[in-house]
Amino acid sequence: MEDLDRALDAVGPRLRTLRQQRKTTLAELSATTGISVSTLSRLESGARRPTLEQLLPLARAHGVTLDELVDAPATGDPRIHLRPVAANGMTMVPLTRRAGGIQAFKIVIPPDGRRREPDPRTHEGYEWLYVLNGRLRVVLGDHDLILMPGEAAEFDTHVPHWFGSADEHPVEFLSLFGKQGERAHMRVRPKGKSKTD
């Protein structure tokens, strides 16, 4: 029981850190989770202990698991619990641990999490993206696309590319990244194009 008390007491500072890392205001988080600003403030300050009904939407909004949110101790579960990595305004959760082959990530970009002005880059490899939630802006060479949930794109990463949230809402997507020659075979057409174009 002491372990549970300690874990719940540590949630407040963790919630504040996650929100500040994502540059999200209490009002924005309230709109995303349905939890009032005053309750969020009390949770972050430790003046109120979170309930499961509050932890679930907060974990979803921050792109972390419940275990990560409460820093739960290992239970002997054989599944691998990979930790998210924050970089370049994004949170990346590795879904694979293999050193070679195709690497899988779940990526969450908060609103304004990356610079709004695209800064395309190139590197070795091939990438496949699949949007889970939100709207993903993808700048790829001369193309500037908006991908919606359920849409996918694939490209050679030698082509200058950049991606970020297309609006004032977070975007979540899966990324499969592999060395040259390892490809997924699903494509999305630019909006407004028909199969006969």
Side-chain angles (χ1 to χ4, degrees):
M1 198 64 172
E2 282 182 28
D3 286 346
L4 177 60
D5 288 341
R6 272 197 299 274
L8 288 175
D9 288 342
V11 169
R14 195 169 294 112
L15 285 171
R16 179 176 284 122
T17 299
L18 285 168
R19 182 176 60 79
Q20 290 172 343
Q21 285 174 345
R22 287 155 178 74
K23 296 184 172 66
T24 303
T25 66
L26 285 171
E28 290 167 339
L29 188 58
S30 175
T32 303
T33 61
I35 301 170
S36 73
V37 170
S38 61
T39 299
L40 289 171
S41 179
R42 289 196 302 272
L43 289 172
E44 287 188 1
S45 69
R48 180 171 177 169
R49 278 198 169 172
T51 64
L52 183 60
E53 289 77 17
Q54 293 164 334
L55 288 173
L56 286 170
L58 286 166
R60 194 176 308 119
H62 290 309
V64 298
T65 66
L66 274 177
D67 283 355
E68 292 161 342
L69 192 59
V70 299
D71 200 24
T75 60
D77 186 335
R79 291 173 293 184
I80 297 168
H81 299 282
L82 300 168
R83 298 283 183 197
V85 175
N88 300 320
M90 301 183 288
T91 300
M92 300 184 297
V93 182
L95 303 177
T96 55
R97 290 184 95 164
R98 296 183 316 163
I102 293 179
Q103 302 294 308
F105 299 90
K106 177 184 175 187
I107 300 176
V108 179
I109 303 176
D112 295 320
R114 300 180 79 185
R115 289 180 303 191
R116 302 295 277 175
E117 193 61 37
D119 181 22
R121 304 286 173 95
T122 64
H123 52 86
E124 183 71 30
Y126 204 86
E127 190 158 6
W128 181 85
L129 308 174
Y130 178 84
V131 180
L132 299 169
N133 291 300
R135 300 172 69 226
L136 179 68
R137 181 179 178 198
V138 178
V139 175
L140 179 62
D142 294 332
H143 301 283
D144 194 338
L145 308 168
I146 304 294
L147 300 183
M148 306 296 284
E151 291 189 308
E154 66 174 335
F155 54 91
D156 183 327
T157 55
H158 285 106
V159 176
H161 60 282
W162 175 95
F163 39 83
S165 175
D167 53 32
E168 300 307 313
H169 300 284
V171 61
E172 299 177 46
F173 59 99
L174 297 177
S175 169
L176 297 180
F177 176 77
K179 60 189 178 189
Q180 210 61 31
E182 294 180 303
R183 309 172 53 163
H185 295 287
M186 188 173 173
R187 289 186 171 81
V188 64
R189 291 185 310 276
K191 199 169 191 150
K193 299 263 184 172
S194 71
K195 290 182 181 179
T196 58
D197 283 354

